[in-house]
Amino acid sequence: MEYIVDDKALDAREFLALAGAVWPGDYNEEKTARALQRTINITAREQGRLVGSLRILTDGCYFGTITELLVLPAYQRQGIGSRLLSLAREHTPTLLYFGAQPGAEGFYEKNGCARGMQAFQIGAAER
Ligand SMILES: CC(C)(COP(=O)(O)OP(=O)(O)OC[C@H]1O[C@@H](n2cnc3c(N)ncnc32)[C@H](O)[C@@H]1OP(=O)(O)O)[C@@H](O)C(=O)NCCC(=O)NCCS
């Protein structure tokens, strides 16, 4: 397995193939390409094939978040998610504050992440 921090080769199509395998949905390729340009993308690749990804969105000084962490179902429980998280810890310029999907709390606790504030959300403004 090859792990790449700030993987400039990550493109929207392969990212959406990964996302769709984990969370099936109707994703927009053009929007995804723009989103990928704004994040630090850490990837796990097996012989070039994308099998895991973690993206960091950060202001570079004070605050950052993990937008999502994804591992292909067939590759889960093999330590890939933990490795991506530890690379995020080593390379983030800021604190990372993020939410866990229901059911994934145990993964973050096992990886030494402390529980933080209760999260709230605001939807995007209409444009
Ligand atoms: C959650 C996820 C990223 C974990 O990645 P992974 O590569 O499977 O995790 P690891 O193999 O590094 O797991 C390390 C340990 O965390 C725990 N763990 C892993 N996935 C877990 C889960 N979904 N729930 C609770 N604990 C979990 C296990 O104890 C595991 O150790 P074990 O296999 O020896 O029992 C991956 O399962 C995934 O992509 N899930 C779907 C998407 C998702 O929920 N992403 C997180 C968004 S917040």
Side-chain angles (χ1 to χ4, degrees):
M1 194 68 58
E2 186 187 12
Y3 292 89
I4 306 169
V5 176
D6 199 13
D7 185 348
K8 301 286 189 210
L10 180 64
D11 73 30
R13 199 165 293 185
E14 63 177 348
F15 179 79
L16 289 181
L18 170 62
V22 177
W23 286 312
D26 187 17
Y27 300 107
N28 177 301
E29 196 172 315
E30 194 266 328
K31 242 180 167 178
T32 301
R34 273 189 282 140
L36 292 177
Q37 284 173 7
R38 294 192 170 98
T39 48
I40 300 168
N41 306 319
I42 307 176
T43 57
R45 293 180 181 276
E46 189 175 64
Q47 292 170 347
R49 180 184 179 214
L50 183 69
V51 302
S53 154
L54 182 156
R55 296 194 304 130
I56 297 172
L57 181 64
T58 175
D59 65 12
C61 295
Y62 300 111
F63 180 83
T65 189
I66 295 172
T67 58
E68 77 288 306
L69 166 58
L70 303 167
V71 176
L72 273 184
Y75 288 81
Q76 291 176 7
R77 301 278 174 150
Q78 297 171 36
I80 296 169
S82 299
R83 187 71 204 281
L84 289 168
L85 197 58
S86 92
L87 287 169
R89 194 177 266 130
E90 284 168 35
H91 293 277
T92 180
T94 60
L95 163 152
L96 293 175
Y97 182 77
F98 53 91
Q101 288 292 326
E105 297 91 340
F107 166 78
Y108 292 110
E109 281 172 348
K110 192 149 188 177
N111 279 285
C113 300
R115 281 187 187 254
M117 294 179 286
Q118 174 69 49
F120 289 86
Q121 64 185 45
I122 295 174
E126 297 288 335
R127 284 184 202 283

